[in-house]
Amino acid sequence: MDAVVKWVDARERLPRDGMPVAAATSGRYPPDRKAEPDPMAGQEFWAVLPMYFTTRHIGEDGTEYRDCFVDSDGVVRLPYGRPCAEPVTHWAELPALPGMTVHHMVGEHARTALEGALG
């Protein structure tokens, strides 16, 4: 099965609230503070990470964020152009589940759909 990805510039449009996305984020690896040198230290990066978009997020420290992307570790990233160390430049909808038009299933339907997809 193939999936086609349509990237959206985060400066032009944002996803709907709660939407899981693939987000292209840009930044710089932290400087090397270990005894052994890290070849990635200080290097710029541009990488794709799974995240979700939300119109309102309260961080662990109580900070309120608006229109932001949040990864599975709770790291908040803002759309490109807003002050952020690792801004999101582009985003894309995640593909639907194999053979389906939805991104998630819950309950007994999930087991039946999984068994059908695996044969």
Side-chain angles (χ1 to χ4, degrees):
M1 290 179 247
D2 294 328
V4 175
V5 175
K6 178 182 174 195
W7 288 103
V8 177
D9 188 324
R11 297 170 299 176
E12 296 174 5
R13 184 166 55 92
L14 295 173
R16 70 180 183 278
D17 190 36
M19 181 178 200
V21 297
T25 184
S26 172
R28 185 177 295 276
Y29 284 104
D32 193 3
R33 295 193 176 100
K34 298 182 280 185
E36 296 179 29
D38 180 356
M40 304 301 278
Q43 297 291 315
E44 288 187 54
F45 68 84
W46 194 28
V48 175
L49 301 170
M51 298 187 197
Y52 72 91
F53 178 79
T54 184
T55 55
R56 182 173 183 263
H57 177 77
I58 305 297
E60 288 183 16
D61 64 356
T63 302
E64 180 178 358
Y65 299 92
R66 295 286 182 164
D67 296 332
C68 61
F69 296 83
V70 184
D71 74 12
S72 61
D73 292 326
V75 175
V76 175
R77 292 177 176 88
L78 303 176
Y80 191 83
R82 290 176 52 196
C84 179
E86 297 178 1
V88 171
T89 62
H90 296 78
W91 61 272
E93 273 193 63
L94 294 178
L97 288 166
M100 308 200 80
T101 59
V102 297
H103 292 97
H104 71 281
M105 298 190 84
V106 179
E108 67 182 61
H109 299 294
R111 172 58 51 195
T112 303
L114 178 59
E115 288 171 354
L118 295 175

